Amino acid sequence: KSSHLVIENLYETSFLEHMFLETESGVGYYDEKEDKIVIISSTQNIHYKRKEISRMLNLPEDKIKIIQAVTGGGFGGKLDVTVEGWIALAVYHTKKPVKITLTRDDSFLTNTKRHALKFYYTSYVDKNGYLKGVKVKIVGDTGAYASYGATVCLRAAVHCTGPYNVPNVYAESIMCYTNNHPCGAMRGFGIPQIAFAHESQMDEIAEALNIDPFELRMKNVLKKGDLTATGQKLNYSVGIGKTLEKLKPVYDELKKSGKKGVGIGCMYYGIGNTGIPNPSTIIVELSTNGKIVVHSGVCEIGQGSDTILYQIALETLKISPDLIEFTQKDTSITEDAGSTSASRQTYISGKALYEACVQMREFLERENFYSGKRSLKDIFREKGNVKFTGYFDPPTSKLDPETSQGVPYATYAFATHIAVVEVDEITGFTDVKEVYACHDVGKAINPVLLKGQVNSGVAMGVGMALMEKFVPKETENLHKYYIPTSMDMPEVKAFFVEDEEPTGPYGAKGIGEPALIPTAPAIINAIKDYTGVRVYKLPADIETLKMSLESGVRSRE
């Protein structure tokens, strides 16, 4: 009641399709020698699939083997069981080899979608532009089945303030069953949607108070020692301010040039699962061929986790690359590393591998390997198959069911994106010219892979902002679902800051989902800067924007 300014709006996002290039696919057969059903599939979590198939067939887990095939993209759409269940059922009954690959139409028909969410969002601000409180009601459509709906529901609420210090927070989050398509995990787990809302609010506040939107964000961003909406004190690795500072010269130059169509988007993202254990276990072994073998169940889906783990192992063991091997992602020879989701593998599995490698390095030091006196083969001949297990579970706590207070994530990623757009106000076509993206990654283990993730995130963000929309019972294939092509991509310039996370491997955090999250908000804010029209429902496609422009509503009354 004491706030100088109250801004209240309704924001909506649509269902989205994952659009991995490789549709759901797998093969299966009965291994008579091992008495096991073996499935090789395009998946993001081999151990989870084994548990589900064990439950479905009422067989012990040791009677099922899941191997990850080289996977052509996932983005969350290959976390749930897809073709694996049907393959397992067919192999169980026929004992014959079985292969299933979905057509694109069947993939559209059967796979989960990104949740369509509505945000009733109210911001309370003092006269100097400091956020005093937010009140948010989130209503989501999870379709006919829950899948990851509860996770999205909770994550969106936890992150409802954005990366800002807000002393008073009320968030009500509801996920509803409907007759629509089932919705599930998709890159960001609800945070790309809520970021669209809180970043639109920040620009509306800036406009109402006649404060530069960049400066408004600098005033309010989280700093070390601040509390999140769940009462978690951020003691380490809070680099959101650094990302803004890194892009300040870019922003100043764009404004100095008088260029219109400049928008900002900020975000923060909790790494790993929300307030529940999500450990990873990795084994390193001295093998008979005189090499160090890494038994890793981490599913590589194109994001580069294998490369990152290889680097961590080399850096920790201090041995030549030809002395390290990685086994296949196979449930029979690896421990559970958890799912490739929630931007968790570099941080969690990377730390598990680091812990295992430290033990192996200390063992090799005792055996005079590093002095050059003995080779790995020499040590194996004397000691045999020496194994060390690395385990890491981030220090988190479950949220209190009454107060919602707790530590849902051990660390957070932060980012700022600036988008530059031009809008054809006759047709409503938006051309995204440039995106400047700065991410706090804790430690940049592989800058090339980081840039790749940023480029892919921007591509997905362009689609979310401007063209992608799945309509139940209408969208059947790519004739009616538009994704960005190379012709739609802006020039992307990536920057990184390193506010190291002490619990991460060499200080590293994750970037898989953060790379996407700020892009659509930055584009929508840039459209407002160019045209004077604010879009409250995504996507801001040609028809939507054309109608808004024709209505003459240049700003929200």
Side-chain angles (χ1 to χ4, degrees):
K1 292 181 179 179
S2 63
S3 297
H4 173 73
L5 175 69
V6 179
I7 298 284
E8 184 174 6
N9 286 303
L10 168 63
Y11 300 94
E12 297 182 56
T13 63
S14 58
F15 298 111
L16 297 180
E17 170 68 31
H18 297 87
M19 271 313 304
F20 29 70
L21 288 183
E22 177 201 29
T23 59
E24 302 85 338
S25 186
V27 297
Y29 62 92
Y30 175 64
D31 187 321
E32 292 186 7
K33 185 177 178 181
E34 294 189 357
D35 187 27
K36 290 182 179 181
I37 291 175
V38 181
I39 296 173
I40 306 167
S41 72
S42 178
T43 180
Q44 295 179 237
N45 189 336
I46 53 175
H47 287 87
Y48 167 73
K49 298 292 172 72
R50 182 175 67 173
K51 289 175 185 174
E52 285 296 288
I53 290 169
S54 166
R55 188 166 66 92
M56 183 187 77
L57 296 180
N58 196 27
L59 289 176
E61 287 187 23
D62 62 8
K63 294 297 182 182
I64 298 160
K65 180 194 292 189
I66 308 293
I67 300 171
Q68 187 206 13
V70 175
T71 298
F75 312 113
K78 294 173 183 175
L79 284 176
D80 283 307
V81 173
T82 59
V83 295
E84 294 92 354
W86 301 110
I87 293 169
L89 198 63
V91 171
Y92 177 81
H93 283 293
T94 68
K95 299 296 189 292
K96 300 290 186 182
V98 175
K99 178 181 179 181
I100 297 177
T101 298
L102 298 189
T103 64
R104 183 63 66 181
D105 286 25
D106 283 344
S107 179
F108 266 81
L109 180 66
T110 62
N111 206 316
T112 58
K113 312 302 172 203
R114 185 185 291 286
H115 291 82
L117 300 180
K118 291 184 179 182
F119 305 98
Y120 301 86
Y121 203 116
T122 307
S123 302
Y124 303 88
V125 193
D126 71 14
K127 63 181 180 180
N128 296 313
Y130 289 100
L131 293 167
K132 307 310 292 182
V134 299
K135 183 179 180 181
V136 187
K137 183 175 182 180
I138 304 163
V139 181
D141 183 342
T142 197
Y145 297 93
S147 182
Y148 286 85
T151 302
V152 170
C153 186
L154 180 58
R155 261 195 185 266
V158 168
H159 291 80
C160 71
T161 64
Y164 306 110
N165 184 9
V166 184
N168 302 285
V169 181
Y170 179 87
E172 179 184 1
S173 195
I174 301 167
M175 192 62 74
C176 306
Y177 287 112
T178 71
N179 290 339
N180 285 324
H181 250 80
C183 293
M186 187 171 174
R187 194 177 192 176
F189 283 94
I191 302 178
Q193 297 99 306
I194 191 71
F196 161 56
H198 64 62
E199 290 306 285
S200 297
Q201 288 287 104
M202 291 300 284
D203 267 32
E204 292 231 337
I205 293 166
E207 182 179 11
L209 295 178
N210 196 27
I211 299 175
D212 182 89
F214 199 97
E215 295 303 321
L216 180 72
R217 287 169 170 83
M218 285 297 295
K219 276 176 176 269
N220 286 283
V221 289
L222 290 163
K223 303 176 181 66
K224 289 179 184 177
D226 286 345
L227 301 179
T228 67
T230 68
Q232 178 179 352
K233 187 176 181 180
L234 300 176
N235 294 314
Y236 308 103
S237 195
V238 188
I240 181 64
K242 291 182 179 179
T243 66
L244 281 159
E245 290 167 5
K246 190 84 169 181
L247 291 183
K248 185 69 161 61
V250 173
Y251 182 79
D252 288 345
E253 187 61 32
L254 289 169
K255 299 306 285 187
K256 183 180 176 182
S257 69
K259 184 173 288 189
K260 291 178 63 179
V262 178
I264 309 165
C266 294
M267 74 97 219
Y268 84 134
Y269 180 90
I271 302 296
N273 296 349
T274 308
I276 58 173
N278 65 131
S280 176
T281 303
I282 292 183
I283 296 171
V284 295
E285 175 188 14
L286 178 58
S287 73
T288 182
N289 61 357
K291 294 190 177 184
I292 303 295
V293 177
V294 177
H295 298 275
S296 163
V298 174
C299 287
E300 163 73 73
I301 58 172
Q303 81 282 23
S305 59
D306 280 356
T307 303
I308 293 293
L309 295 177
Y310 191 62
Q311 287 182 261
I312 290 171
L314 286 172
E315 182 72 19
T316 310
L317 290 169
K318 305 295 183 186
I319 61 178
S320 62
D322 62 323
L323 294 178
I324 292 184
E325 291 180 348
F326 277 69
T327 58
Q328 197 171 25
K329 289 88 169 63
D330 179 334
T331 55
S332 66
I333 56 175
T334 66
E335 297 296 319
D336 192 349
S339 64
T340 295
S341 65
S343 305
R344 59 182 295 281
Q345 292 295 16
T346 293
Y347 172 54
I348 299 176
S349 292
K351 186 58 178 290
L353 176 59
Y354 171 81
E355 296 294 342
C357 288
V358 166
Q359 297 174 69
M360 178 64 78
R361 185 183 68 207
E362 291 172 348
F363 165 76
L364 295 177
E365 286 172 348
R366 295 193 298 270
E367 297 299 322
N368 292 313
F369 168 72
Y370 293 106
S371 66
K373 294 179 180 178
R374 304 176 74 197
S375 69
L376 293 181
K377 286 185 178 180
D378 293 335
I379 298 170
F380 176 82
R381 279 193 288 268
E382 180 182 337
K383 300 291 185 179
N385 287 93
V386 178
K387 295 182 180 180
F388 294 99
T389 300
Y391 176 89
F392 180 62
D393 188 11
T396 63
S397 66
K398 187 177 181 180
L399 297 185
D400 185 281
E402 296 297 324
T403 66
S404 298
Q405 300 299 279
V407 180
Y409 315 99
T411 190
Y412 296 81
F414 298 88
T416 300
H417 286 195
I418 296 175
V420 180
V421 309
E422 292 179 0
V423 181
D424 185 327
E425 298 196 37
I426 296 176
T427 64
F429 174 75
T430 300
D431 186 7
V432 185
K433 309 298 288 187
E434 301 160 67
V435 170
Y436 301 86
C438 186
H439 286 257
D440 167 25
V441 297
K443 179 67 176 178
I445 292 177
N446 190 312
V448 173
L449 287 178
L450 288 172
K451 289 180 181 178
Q453 287 281 46
V454 170
N455 275 274
S456 76
V458 168
M460 191 172 278
V462 169
M464 180 179 179
L466 300 179
M467 59 189 74
E468 294 189 47
K469 183 178 182 180
F470 180 90
V471 181
K473 299 181 181 179
E474 291 184 21
T475 309
E476 298 174 346
N477 48 47
L478 282 169
H479 291 296
K480 295 183 179 180
Y481 192 89
Y482 308 113
I483 62 171
T485 70
S486 60
M487 299 299 289
D488 301 297
M489 277 296 288
E491 181 181 0
V492 181
K493 296 181 180 179
F495 305 82
F496 303 103
V497 297
E498 297 178 312
D499 197 332
E500 293 190 9
E501 168 52 48
T503 62
Y506 297 99
K509 302 188 285 191
I511 196 176
E513 286 150 303
L516 155 71
I517 294 166
T519 304
I523 291 171
I524 297 304
N525 284 336
I527 290 172
K528 172 64 166 64
D529 185 53
Y530 194 96
T531 65
V533 168
R534 176 159 298 283
V535 175
Y536 295 89
K537 184 176 181 178
L538 295 184
D541 56 22
I542 290 176
E543 290 184 10
T544 299
L545 198 52
K546 174 66 173 170
M547 290 172 67
S548 297
L549 289 164
E550 286 182 347
S551 71
V553 181
R554 291 287 162 172
S555 62
R556 198 66 172 261
E557 295 284 316

